[in-house]
Amino acid sequence: MTELIASPPFILALNLAAFLCGLALYRRTGTTLLHPIVGASALAAAFLWLMEIPYSEYQTASKLLYALLGPAVVALAVPLRQNLPIIKRAAWPLLVTLVVGATLAPAAGVLIALLLGAAEPVLLALSGKAVTTPIALGLAEKVGAAASLTVGIVVFSGVVGAVLGPPLLARLGIRDQRVLGFALGINAHAIGTARALEISALCGAFAALAMGLCGALTAFALPFFLGR
């Protein structure tokens, strides 16, 4: 029975059912605190806990979904292409924001963890928090971080950024959807980009651009910086 529950078809059905339930709850309540990714993750996690299924078995059975992450990221090039003239006009401000944001986003997390006495594995996992999951997995292998911890940190930071980012920037008086999208892309990567696409195609295009460039910059610079 346990083998059946932890099998790839059952886990795939579990993920789909959890997402549909999360989506229905999000549409009914309309609150970003219950974003489908938050609700679906909570439902799937609760099921794994109740059935005592180790995360390693869940991860192994979810390989199909992991394989689809790459094409899903590439598909974000569509809104990017549609808004390319607008992006070109803001090239230099975007470049400066990218370098500063891609540096400060992981550095702040690593610094706080260091001050709290975190061990090296945690610090290495935090160093890849500003990139989307497919890139984070490759980086974790390159720098010697635990893949499961890295993915957990990436997903958590993405959910927090996607949920709290838009209302926080609105409270600060920032209404420009280009700024909002770029901030979501750097700090909340794929989940933030999904949230940005809900706001508008322009916001989603800048989020996709930030996520892609931040991932490429981090993938190039982080192993060099760590000497790995």
Side-chain angles (χ1 to χ4, degrees):
M1 183 64 179
T2 304
E3 292 181 357
L4 174 63
I5 293 176
S7 64
F10 189 90
I11 292 298
L12 181 61
L14 168 66
N15 287 326
L16 181 60
F19 180 76
L20 291 176
C21 289
L23 181 62
L25 186 62
Y26 174 64
R27 287 176 174 172
R28 178 175 290 273
T29 60
T31 172
T32 53
L33 291 174
L34 292 176
H35 190 275
I37 295 176
V38 178
S41 299
L43 289 172
F47 182 85
L48 296 180
W49 179 70
L50 288 173
M51 301 306 297
E52 298 181 348
I53 299 175
Y55 175 75
S56 58
E57 293 186 14
Y58 170 80
Q59 185 181 26
T60 302
S62 299
K63 282 186 176 178
L64 176 60
L65 291 180
Y66 280 96
L68 293 174
L69 283 174
V73 172
V74 174
L76 293 174
V78 175
L80 193 63
R81 175 66 181 85
Q82 292 173 336
N83 293 279
L84 192 57
I86 302 176
I87 292 172
K88 282 183 176 178
R89 287 197 293 271
W92 280 109
L94 291 179
L95 181 60
V96 174
T97 305
L98 171 69
V99 174
V100 174
T103 302
L104 290 182
V110 170
L111 180 60
I112 293 172
L114 191 62
L115 293 175
L116 294 175
E120 183 180 352
V122 177
L123 299 178
L124 288 174
L126 279 168
S127 65
K129 66 175 285 295
V131 300
T132 189
T133 304
I135 299 176
L137 285 170
L139 269 177
E141 183 178 357
K142 182 74 175 178
V143 303
S148 57
L149 180 59
T150 301
V151 171
I153 291 172
V154 168
V155 172
F156 179 76
S157 62
V159 169
V160 171
V163 170
L164 300 182
L168 176 62
L169 292 182
R171 185 173 288 273
L172 293 173
I174 299 173
R175 310 286 180 186
D176 192 323
Q177 294 189 1
R178 299 172 300 172
V179 177
L180 174 58
F182 211 74
L184 284 174
I186 289 178
N187 294 285
H189 17 88
I191 301 175
T193 301
R195 178 74 183 100
L197 286 168
E198 292 179 351
I199 297 172
S200 72
L202 178 62
C203 189
F206 275 79
L209 176 67
M211 181 185 67
L213 292 179
C214 187
L217 180 60
T218 305
F220 173 76
L222 185 60
F224 177 77
F225 179 75
L226 295 177
R228 303 298 173 98

